[in-house]
Amino acid sequence: MKIRSFKKINIILSVIFAILLVAVIYVLAFRGSIPSYSRDELGIYMPYFSADYSDVYNGFTDSHGFYIFDLNKSEIKKVKADIENNSSWFKFTGNSEEISLLNPVFGTWIEDYSIDINDCYVAFYDFSDDCFVYDTDGLVNCGCAIYDEDSERFYYLEMIW
């Protein structure tokens, strides 16, 4: 009788341990990842797992997110293929007109984190009009993906008011 009760307790504890292990792996792998609604809406390649750095704020009337990903070789191939096949991306050459596109919306993050946007690929998305844009004047609900080939980093910035 005692052996059966130990087997039942052992089985129950094993199931609880398996559930906790799956939960911990999920939290560690996806904490700080780009929200799925943004990923689905934009339709460009974005890394799936947790960001190497994230700064996310969700308020009552507004929210913002800033993510930095150091890409691995597989992710670099995927983002390069998306850049070649997706017209939403355009290359920043670093001239003052292009830099002035980013500054009204994301200038503080770019300065605070020393993002060198020269020769980067950029995709702006206007959530209000549901389209990619090439002008940030007046944007308040937008997302911006930046891929820096030199540092092999992917940045995602998002503001929703």
Side-chain angles (χ1 to χ4, degrees):
M1 191 82 166
K2 288 184 179 184
I3 294 175
R4 283 189 178 178
S5 64
F6 283 125
K7 284 184 179 180
K8 287 181 182 178
I9 291 173
N10 219 2
I11 290 171
I12 291 170
L13 289 176
S14 297
V15 169
I16 292 171
F17 178 73
I19 291 170
L20 287 174
L21 184 64
V22 168
V24 166
I25 290 172
Y26 179 80
V27 167
L28 290 177
F30 294 101
R31 178 190 56 202
S33 62
I34 297 172
S36 59
Y37 69 85
S38 298
R39 184 183 317 284
D40 296 340
E41 190 79 23
L42 270 64
I44 59 174
Y45 174 77
M46 287 195 245
Y48 283 93
F49 293 108
S50 63
D52 293 298
Y53 175 80
S54 64
D55 175 15
V56 178
Y57 167 78
N58 291 307
F60 183 69
T61 59
D62 63 328
S63 66
H64 70 258
F66 176 69
Y67 307 86
I68 300 174
F69 296 88
D70 290 323
L71 302 179
N72 61 36
K73 290 180 183 180
S74 168
E75 292 170 324
I76 291 168
K77 287 179 185 176
K78 290 177 185 176
V79 75
K80 284 183 177 182
D82 189 53
I83 287 170
E84 289 176 10
N85 299 318
N86 192 335
S87 63
S88 303
W89 292 95
F90 63 97
K91 188 165 187 164
F92 259 38
T93 59
N95 69 37
S96 59
E97 279 183 26
E98 291 174 338
I99 292 171
S100 68
L101 290 175
L102 281 174
N103 282 339
V105 185
F106 302 114
T108 30
W109 280 325
I110 289 170
E111 291 170 11
D112 291 348
Y113 295 98
S114 302
I115 302 172
D116 182 15
I117 57 173
N118 296 328
D119 296 324
C120 287
Y121 291 94
V122 178
F124 288 112
Y125 191 83
D126 182 358
F127 289 116
S128 299
D129 292 334
D130 293 328
C131 64
F132 282 94
V133 294
Y134 301 99
D135 183 12
T136 59
D137 189 32
L139 286 182
V140 290
N141 296 319
C142 57
C144 177
I146 301 172
Y147 172 63
D148 183 1
E149 271 186 307
D150 296 335
S151 67
E152 297 178 339
R153 279 192 166 170
F154 186 94
Y155 304 93
Y156 180 68
L157 308 99
E158 178 177 275
M159 290 179 48
I160 299 174
W161 294 93

